[in-house]
Amino acid sequence: MRYLEDLEVGQETIFDDEYLVTEEEIIEVGERWDPQPFHIDPVAAKESIFGGLVASSAHIFSIWTSLGHKEIDKEKNIKAVSALGFNHLQWHQPVRPGDVLKSKFTIQSVRESSSRPALGVVTNTSEVFNQNGEKVFTLEVSFLTQKRNP
């Protein structure tokens, strides 16, 4: 487990955790949260600009949130407390059934919290890639993390 004292600007972490996106899940999430034809109807999706079924942006964000939480190598995990904000969310490539997603983050800034002495604030750039190494989603995240010795 990593604490604020272990983090430095420029550090990169690539998680081993992977996520297989299934057609069933794309349709389920689409029907509930974003019922566009290209998320819920494989036949109609073929006629869309995507040429087939694709995951919704909310689905991809949710997958990103889960990536790394099942990480086997606990030394990669950060003792995070709470997210503070998300900025610059961008979807670069459609995510399709059968895609296997992985995530990477790069630390942009690390500082002590001015209002909570036992915590620090970390900002990173997160990237999600498919099995072909294509970037599908990026965002900037700021979050609170614990200090080892407050």
Side-chain angles (χ1 to χ4, degrees), residues 1-3 7 76-80 105 107 122 143 145:
M1 189 65 62
R2 293 186 291 170
Y3 294 82
L7 306 176
K76 290 183 178 180
N77 290 336
I78 295 174
K79 191 74 172 166
F105 73 83
I107 296 176
V122 177
F143 60 94
T145 188

Side-chain angles (χ1 to χ4, degrees), residues 68-89:
H69 288 285
K70 297 175 190 164
E71 181 62 42
I72 295 168
D73 182 356
K74 297 301 180 194
E75 294 302 312
K76 290 183 178 180
N77 290 336
I78 295 174
K79 191 74 172 166
V81 175
S82 177
L84 296 173
F86 306 101
N87 295 303
H88 312 294
L89 286 75

Side-chain angles (χ1 to χ4, degrees), residues 23-32 39-42 53:
E23 180 175 308
E24 296 77 22
E25 187 177 64
I26 289 173
I27 293 170
E28 177 187 342
V29 172
E31 285 176 341
R32 182 159 185 179
H39 299 318
I40 64 172
D41 183 344
L53 203 64

Side-chain angles (χ1 to χ4, degrees), residues 4 84 109-115 119-123 145 147:
L4 184 72
L84 296 173
S109 67
V110 179
R111 68 174 176 83
E112 293 186 6
S113 170
S114 55
S115 60
L119 302 174
V121 177
V122 177
T123 300
T145 188
K147 289 182 180 178

Side-chain angles (χ1 to χ4, degrees), residues 15-80:
F15 288 108
D16 298 321
D17 198 11
E18 296 180 338
Y19 193 97
L20 172 64
V21 182
T22 66
E23 180 175 308
E24 296 77 22
E25 187 177 64
I26 289 173
I27 293 170
E28 177 187 342
V29 172
E31 285 176 341
R32 182 159 185 179
W33 302 109
D34 193 0
Q36 300 295 321
F38 41 84
H39 299 318
I40 64 172
D41 183 344
V43 175
K46 287 181 183 175
E47 302 302 318
S48 75
I49 64 168
F50 300 109
L53 203 64
V54 295
S56 73
S57 56
H59 189 182
I60 298 165
F61 180 85
S62 297
I63 291 168
W64 165 79
T65 302
S66 74
L67 286 168
H69 288 285
K70 297 175 190 164
E71 181 62 42
I72 295 168
D73 182 356
K74 297 301 180 194
E75 294 302 312
K76 290 183 178 180
N77 290 336
I78 295 174
K79 191 74 172 166

Side-chain angles (χ1 to χ4, degrees), residues 96-137:
R96 301 178 183 281
D99 279 352
V100 177
L101 305 180
K102 289 186 76 152
S103 70
K104 166 184 145 180
F105 73 83
T106 305
I107 296 176
Q108 304 300 316
S109 67
V110 179
R111 68 174 176 83
E112 293 186 6
S113 170
S114 55
S115 60
R116 296 179 180 249
L119 302 174
V121 177
V122 177
T123 300
N124 73 46
T125 301
S126 289
E127 301 171 293
V128 176
F129 298 90
N130 65 20
Q131 68 281 356
N132 301 318
E134 299 168 316
K135 193 182 307 183
V136 299
F137 176 58

